[in-house]
Amino acid sequence: MRVGSGFDVHAFGPGDGVMLGGVRVPHTRGVVAHSDGDVLLHALVDALLGAAGLGDIGQHFPDTDPQWKGADSARFLTTTLQLLAGQGQRVVNVDLTLLAQAPRIARWRDQIRGSIAAKLALPEAAVNLKATTTEHLGFIGRAEGIAALATVLIEAR
Ligand code: MG
């Protein structure tokens, strides 16, 4: 079995919602990003790549590449899962933490968890989603952006 960790940040910018785990959550801001800026999926992809020893998201999906402009981050996840499958690896479980002063995701948590579980073809019990503010400290606390942490376990089939 192998463990991996991931971290991602996006700054808020103009817009009226953010993508989180493939779910569009209404907000007074959007995020600045080359892709759809889904911090949960980006942290998850980095954790999976890390567990597999395959580098990071920027190497596989460069933000200078026009094909990823405005991309649905689910495409990053699908491609990453194919890379893992090619190594004979499967995902055991994932644990995600969203760091955000806003938006609050309590209403959306079950939907986001279900969305991520479906993308991973895992039962929801294998996908945990936590959320925390930073007690108004730092860039997250000032609601200048959002961040996510991911930890994953993978194993040979
Ligand atoms: Mg990102």
Side-chain angles (χ1 to χ4, degrees), residues 7-10 32-43 46 57 73 76:
F7 175 64
D8 192 46
V9 175
H10 282 276
V32 179
H34 184 70
S35 67
D36 67 4
D38 191 322
V39 286
L40 284 174
L41 293 188
H42 292 184
D46 250 353
I57 191 170
S73 295
F76 304 157

Side-chain angles (χ1 to χ4, degrees), residues 49-107:
L49 291 170
L54 290 172
D56 69 27
I57 191 170
Q59 291 174 273
H60 291 270
F61 313 104
D63 63 8
T64 51
D65 187 335
Q67 75 166 307
W68 306 121
K69 185 163 175 53
D72 178 348
S73 295
R75 290 171 59 197
F76 304 157
L77 183 56
T78 301
T79 301
T80 300
L81 290 171
Q82 288 167 352
L83 291 171
L84 265 66
Q87 289 191 345
Q89 301 279 354
R90 71 173 198 93
V91 182
V92 178
N93 74 298
V94 311
D95 186 23
L96 303 165
T97 303
L98 182 73
L99 299 98
Q101 200 66 44
R104 298 296 178 97
I105 60 154
R107 285 174 54 203

Side-chain angles (χ1 to χ4, degrees), residues 67-155:
Q67 75 166 307
W68 306 121
K69 185 163 175 53
D72 178 348
S73 295
R75 290 171 59 197
F76 304 157
L77 183 56
T78 301
T79 301
T80 300
L81 290 171
Q82 288 167 352
L83 291 171
L84 265 66
Q87 289 191 345
Q89 301 279 354
R90 71 173 198 93
V91 182
V92 178
N93 74 298
V94 311
D95 186 23
L96 303 165
T97 303
L98 182 73
L99 299 98
Q101 200 66 44
R104 298 296 178 97
I105 60 154
R107 285 174 54 203
W108 304 94
R109 186 194 302 246
D110 290 347
Q111 192 178 339
I112 295 168
R113 185 182 189 189
S115 168
I116 294 170
K119 292 179 199 322
L120 293 167
L122 287 175
E124 288 193 19
V127 177
N128 193 63
L129 174 60
K130 310 186 296 295
T132 184
T133 69
T134 59
E135 300 290 345
H136 299 282
L137 296 171
F139 73 89
I140 293 167
R142 292 188 297 271
E144 295 170 2
I146 51 177
L149 298 162
T151 302
V152 306
L153 191 69
I154 65 173
E155 69 176 4

